[in-house]
């Protein structure tokens, strides 16, 4: 018990296949969902939604890896990975996004700002800045080198 912090960090909380959890899950360590969660997941570690897993609600975590289905808002402080079997319908807010070939996403995505930065900005200023950055990135993709240089 002297090193209880290390134990919590190494722990993985599991919502097993065939299980339905309704409500709010708050965890200081990783969470793996192979079952169904209806509600909110607040995880200070990594959240893993297995291929057979399903979430209807909100996911707030440091890192997230999705192979199953999610319907709702996803807010990730660092990195979100959508595996090839992922099916996501909702709003994504993350610093970094990795999408494997075959993953399906319907909704809106905001990238490039950590959650702590977006909480600090008043009146959504951080979101406006990211929208401009996304528009400039899109212009660069279309071959406009002038705008890419300005960004």
């Amino acid at each position: 018990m002297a090193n209880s912090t290390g134990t919590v960090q190494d722990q993985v909380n599991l919502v097993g296949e065939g299980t339905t959890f309704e409500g709010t899950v708050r965890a200081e360590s990783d969470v793996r969902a192979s079952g169904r969660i209806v509600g909110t997941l607040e995880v200070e570690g990594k959240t893993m939604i297995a291929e057979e897993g399903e979430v209807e609600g909100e996911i707030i975590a440091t890192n997230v890896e999705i192979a199953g289905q999610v319907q709702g808002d996803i807010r990730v402080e660092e990195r979100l990975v959508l595996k090839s079997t992922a099916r996501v319908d909702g709003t994504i807010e993350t610093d970094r996004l990795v999408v494997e070939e075959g993953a399906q996403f319907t909704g809106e995505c905001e990238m490039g700002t950590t959650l702590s930065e977006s909480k600090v900005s008043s009146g959504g200023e951080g979101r406006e800045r990211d929208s401009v950055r996304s528009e400039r990135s899109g212009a660069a993709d279309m071959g406009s080198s002038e705008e890419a240089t300005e960004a």
Side-chain angles (χ1 to χ4, degrees), residues 92-103:
I92 293 173
E93 182 179 335
T94 184
D95 187 37
R96 294 182 315 243
L97 176 65
V98 177
V99 181
E100 291 184 0
E101 184 176 354

Side-chain angles (χ1 to χ4, degrees), residues 65-139:
E65 186 174 291
I66 300 172
Q69 297 183 29
V70 175
Q71 185 170 2
D73 295 339
I74 304 169
R75 296 190 331 216
V76 182
E77 189 172 332
E78 294 177 6
R79 187 172 106 153
L80 170 63
V81 178
L82 300 181
K83 299 298 225 175
S84 63
T85 55
R87 306 292 176 259
V88 177
D89 184 2
T91 302
I92 293 173
E93 182 179 335
T94 184
D95 187 37
R96 294 182 315 243
L97 176 65
V98 177
V99 181
E100 291 184 0
E101 184 176 354
Q104 294 181 6
F105 167 63
T106 304
E108 297 180 19
C109 180
E110 182 177 322
M111 292 174 42
T113 303
T114 61
L115 291 181
S116 56
E117 285 178 7
S118 64
K119 286 178 186 174
V120 171
S121 67
S122 60
E125 291 172 14
R127 290 186 178 182
E128 290 173 355
R129 184 181 70 243
D130 289 338
S131 297
V132 169
R133 184 183 304 144
S134 295
E135 289 171 8
R136 287 182 178 163
S137 297

